[in-house]
Amino acid sequence: MNSVDKKIENKQLVEKFPWLRPFDFFGNEIENYDYSFTILDEIPEGWKIAFGELLAEDIQKVLDEQNIDDFKVLQIKEKYGELRLYHNSAPKEIDKIIHAYSTASANICFHCGKPDVTQSKGYWIWTCCTQCFNKLPMAQHRKYEDEFGDNEYEPMQDEYYYSMFSEKGTIHCSENISEYTTKIRKRYEERMK
Protein backbone atom coordinates (compact mmCIF):
# COMPACT_ATOMS: atom_id res chain seq x y z
CA MET A 1 0.00 0.00 0.00
CA ASN A 2 1.45 3.37 -0.96
CA SER A 3 1.59 6.29 1.47
CA VAL A 4 -1.37 8.13 -0.10
CA ASP A 5 -3.62 5.06 0.23
CA LYS A 6 -2.38 4.54 3.80
CA LYS A 7 -3.25 8.15 4.70
CA ILE A 8 -6.74 7.77 3.19
CA GLU A 9 -7.30 4.52 5.10
CA ASN A 10 -6.04 6.09 8.34
CA LYS A 11 -8.22 9.17 7.88
CA GLN A 12 -11.28 6.90 7.52
CA LEU A 13 -10.25 5.01 10.68
CA VAL A 14 -9.78 8.21 12.69
CA GLU A 15 -13.13 9.56 11.49
CA LYS A 16 -14.78 6.32 12.65
CA PHE A 17 -12.71 5.99 15.85
CA PRO A 18 -11.46 9.47 16.87
CA TRP A 19 -9.44 8.10 19.79
CA LEU A 20 -7.08 6.36 17.31
CA ARG A 21 -5.57 9.76 16.54
CA PRO A 22 -2.11 9.82 18.13
CA PHE A 23 -1.10 12.33 20.78
CA ASP A 24 2.26 13.69 21.82
CA PHE A 25 4.06 12.68 25.02
CA PHE A 26 2.00 15.18 27.04
CA GLY A 27 -1.38 14.02 25.70
CA ASN A 28 -1.82 16.96 23.32
CA GLU A 29 -3.02 16.61 19.75
CA ILE A 30 -0.20 16.52 17.21
CA GLU A 31 -0.07 19.70 15.16
CA ASN A 32 -0.36 19.25 11.38
CA TYR A 33 -1.33 15.60 11.79
CA ASP A 34 -1.29 14.11 8.27
CA TYR A 35 -2.85 10.67 8.92
CA SER A 36 0.39 8.86 8.08
CA PHE A 37 -0.18 6.66 11.16
CA THR A 38 -2.69 5.88 13.90
CA ILE A 39 -2.43 4.33 17.34
CA LEU A 40 -3.18 0.92 15.74
CA ASP A 41 0.10 1.16 13.82
CA GLU A 42 1.90 0.76 17.15
CA ILE A 43 0.94 -2.92 17.46
CA PRO A 44 2.53 -5.78 15.51
CA GLU A 45 1.10 -6.20 12.00
CA GLY A 46 -0.37 -9.67 12.62
CA TRP A 47 -2.36 -8.49 15.62
CA LYS A 48 -3.52 -5.45 13.67
CA ILE A 49 -4.74 -7.78 10.90
CA ALA A 50 -6.33 -10.26 13.33
CA PHE A 51 -8.18 -7.89 15.62
CA GLY A 52 -7.15 -4.25 15.24
CA GLU A 53 -10.49 -3.03 13.90
CA LEU A 54 -12.43 -5.46 16.08
CA LEU A 55 -10.77 -3.95 19.16
CA ALA A 56 -11.52 -0.43 17.91
CA GLU A 57 -15.18 -1.29 17.16
CA ASP A 58 -15.72 -2.88 20.57
CA ILE A 59 -14.17 0.06 22.43
CA GLN A 60 -16.07 2.62 20.32
CA LYS A 61 -19.35 0.84 21.03
CA VAL A 62 -18.85 1.33 24.79
CA LEU A 63 -17.72 4.94 24.31
CA ASP A 64 -20.86 5.67 22.29
CA GLU A 65 -23.19 3.88 24.72
CA GLN A 66 -21.77 5.78 27.68
CA ASN A 67 -21.34 9.07 25.81
CA ILE A 68 -17.59 9.28 26.57
CA ASP A 69 -15.66 11.65 24.33
CA ASP A 70 -12.39 12.18 26.20
CA PHE A 71 -10.94 8.64 25.91
CA LYS A 72 -7.28 8.63 24.86
CA VAL A 73 -4.88 5.78 24.25
CA LEU A 74 -1.55 6.74 25.78
CA GLN A 75 0.41 3.75 24.57
CA ILE A 76 -0.21 0.49 22.74
CA LYS A 77 2.47 -2.15 22.26
CA GLU A 78 3.58 -5.75 22.69
CA LYS A 79 5.01 -6.76 26.05
CA TYR A 80 5.78 -10.28 27.28
CA GLY A 81 4.17 -11.69 24.14
CA GLU A 82 0.84 -9.94 24.67
CA LEU A 83 -0.93 -6.75 23.67
CA ARG A 84 -0.65 -3.88 26.13
CA LEU A 85 -2.95 -0.87 25.84
CA TYR A 86 -2.66 2.01 28.30
CA HIS A 87 -5.30 4.75 28.39
CA ASN A 88 -6.22 7.89 30.33
CA SER A 89 -9.24 6.30 32.00
CA ALA A 90 -12.22 4.28 30.99
CA PRO A 91 -15.09 2.29 32.44
CA LYS A 92 -14.60 -1.34 33.41
CA GLU A 93 -16.34 -2.49 30.20
CA ILE A 94 -13.43 -1.11 28.16
CA ASP A 95 -10.90 -2.69 30.50
CA LYS A 96 -12.65 -6.05 29.95
CA ILE A 97 -12.34 -5.58 26.16
CA ILE A 98 -8.65 -4.71 26.46
CA HIS A 99 -7.97 -7.72 28.71
CA ALA A 100 -9.87 -9.99 26.31
CA TYR A 101 -7.79 -8.97 23.29
CA SER A 102 -4.60 -9.01 25.33
CA THR A 103 -5.32 -12.58 26.45
CA ALA A 104 -6.17 -13.65 22.88
CA SER A 105 -3.02 -11.99 21.48
CA ALA A 106 -0.86 -14.45 23.40
CA ASN A 107 -1.85 -17.09 20.83
CA ILE A 108 -1.98 -15.05 17.62
CA CYS A 109 1.00 -14.85 15.25
CA PHE A 110 2.24 -11.29 15.43
CA HIS A 111 3.41 -11.45 11.79
CA CYS A 112 0.39 -12.81 9.88
CA GLY A 113 -2.49 -12.87 12.39
CA LYS A 114 -3.03 -16.64 12.42
CA PRO A 115 -4.90 -17.59 15.63
CA ASP A 116 -4.26 -20.56 17.92
CA VAL A 117 -0.46 -20.71 17.69
CA THR A 118 1.98 -21.30 20.51
CA GLN A 119 4.28 -18.84 22.28
CA SER A 120 8.04 -19.21 22.30
CA LYS A 121 9.52 -21.10 25.21
CA GLY A 122 12.87 -19.30 24.97
CA TYR A 123 14.17 -16.28 26.79
CA TRP A 124 12.09 -13.88 24.65
CA ILE A 125 8.31 -14.34 24.75
CA TRP A 126 6.62 -13.97 21.38
CA THR A 127 4.01 -15.74 19.26
CA CYS A 128 4.72 -16.93 15.73
CA CYS A 129 3.40 -19.60 13.36
CA THR A 130 5.83 -21.97 11.59
CA GLN A 131 5.32 -20.32 8.19
CA CYS A 132 6.31 -16.88 9.50
CA PHE A 133 9.12 -18.29 11.64
CA ASN A 134 10.65 -19.97 8.58
CA LYS A 135 10.81 -16.56 6.84
CA LEU A 136 12.79 -15.01 9.71
CA PRO A 137 16.60 -14.79 9.54
CA MET A 138 16.87 -16.72 12.82
CA ALA A 139 15.26 -19.76 11.15
CA GLN A 140 18.59 -20.41 9.40
CA HIS A 141 20.19 -21.15 12.77
CA ARG A 142 17.33 -22.57 14.84
CA LYS A 143 14.40 -24.90 14.41
CA TYR A 144 10.84 -23.83 15.20
CA GLU A 145 10.61 -26.67 17.72
CA ASP A 146 13.67 -25.33 19.60
CA GLU A 147 12.02 -21.97 20.10
CA PHE A 148 8.35 -22.96 20.47
CA GLY A 149 8.21 -26.57 21.58
CA ASP A 150 6.47 -29.53 19.96
CA ASN A 151 3.02 -28.06 19.32
CA GLU A 152 2.30 -25.31 16.85
CA TYR A 153 -1.40 -25.36 17.83
CA GLU A 154 -2.25 -23.79 21.16
CA PRO A 155 -5.80 -22.44 21.40
CA MET A 156 -6.58 -18.93 22.54
CA GLN A 157 -7.94 -18.94 26.06
CA ASP A 158 -11.66 -18.36 26.40
CA GLU A 159 -11.19 -16.90 29.88
CA TYR A 160 -8.78 -14.58 31.58
CA TYR A 161 -8.04 -14.64 35.27
CA TYR A 162 -7.34 -11.83 37.69
CA SER A 163 -7.26 -11.12 41.41
CA MET A 164 -9.08 -8.46 43.37
CA PHE A 165 -8.13 -7.33 46.82
CA SER A 166 -10.69 -6.51 49.49
CA GLU A 167 -11.00 -6.22 53.24
CA LYS A 168 -11.85 -9.93 53.29
CA GLY A 169 -8.70 -10.90 51.38
CA THR A 170 -7.83 -11.79 47.82
CA ILE A 171 -10.65 -12.77 45.53
CA HIS A 172 -9.73 -14.77 42.41
CA CYS A 173 -11.97 -14.03 39.42
CA SER A 174 -12.34 -15.00 35.79
CA GLU A 175 -14.05 -13.46 32.78
CA ASN A 176 -15.41 -15.37 29.81
CA ILE A 177 -14.01 -13.86 26.60
CA SER A 178 -15.21 -16.45 24.09
CA GLU A 179 -17.21 -13.81 22.17
CA TYR A 180 -13.91 -12.08 21.32
CA THR A 181 -11.94 -15.21 20.44
CA THR A 182 -14.84 -16.39 18.27
CA LYS A 183 -14.81 -13.08 16.35
CA ILE A 184 -11.04 -13.34 15.82
CA ARG A 185 -11.27 -16.92 14.50
CA LYS A 186 -14.21 -16.04 12.25
CA ARG A 187 -12.32 -13.06 10.79
CA TYR A 188 -9.30 -15.27 10.11
CA GLU A 189 -11.44 -17.91 8.37
CA GLU A 190 -13.07 -15.23 6.19
CA ARG A 191 -9.65 -13.86 5.25
CA MET A 192 -8.43 -17.34 4.27
CA LYS A 193 -11.35 -17.99 1.86
Side-chain angles (χ1 to χ4, degrees), residues 112-174:
C112 71
K114 180 180 179 182
D116 301 314
V117 297
T118 192
Q119 281 194 335
S120 68
K121 310 298 183 210
Y123 70 95
W124 193 265
I125 300 172
W126 51 299
T127 311
C128 190
C129 68
T130 51
Q131 293 80 13
C132 291
F133 178 83
N134 290 331
K135 294 175 188 172
L136 298 172
M138 69 179 1
Q140 298 172 7
H141 307 289
R142 298 188 209 160
K143 294 179 181 175
Y144 183 86
E145 293 79 16
D146 294 340
E147 194 70 29
F148 293 89
D150 295 334
N151 291 334
E152 178 180 355
Y153 179 81
E154 189 173 321
M156 292 181 283
Q157 296 176 21
D158 285 331
E159 286 187 294
Y160 72 85
Y161 303 91
Y162 61 97
S163 299
M164 292 176 42
F165 304 100
S166 72
E167 296 172 358
K168 297 179 181 179
T170 305
I171 302 168
H172 300 284
C173 307
S174 67

Side-chain angles (χ1 to χ4, degrees), residues 34-61:
D34 66 354
Y35 299 98
S36 57
F37 65 99
T38 70
I39 290 295
L40 284 182
D41 292 320
E42 302 277 323
I43 62 175
E45 188 63 24
W47 293 350
K48 185 177 171 186
I49 292 166
F51 61 78
E53 270 196 70
L54 295 174
L55 170 69
E57 289 167 1
D58 289 339
I59 289 175
Q60 190 63 47
K61 182 179 176 187

Side-chain angles (χ1 to χ4, degrees), residues 11-41:
K11 185 174 183 181
Q12 291 170 344
L13 274 174
V14 170
E15 286 171 354
K16 196 173 176 182
F17 314 112
W19 54 272
L20 288 180
R21 184 181 177 130
F23 295 90
D24 68 13
F25 183 74
F26 300 103
N28 303 315
E29 288 192 14
I30 296 173
E31 290 184 34
N32 303 318
Y33 174 62
D34 66 354
Y35 299 98
S36 57
F37 65 99
T38 70
I39 290 295
L40 284 182
D41 292 320

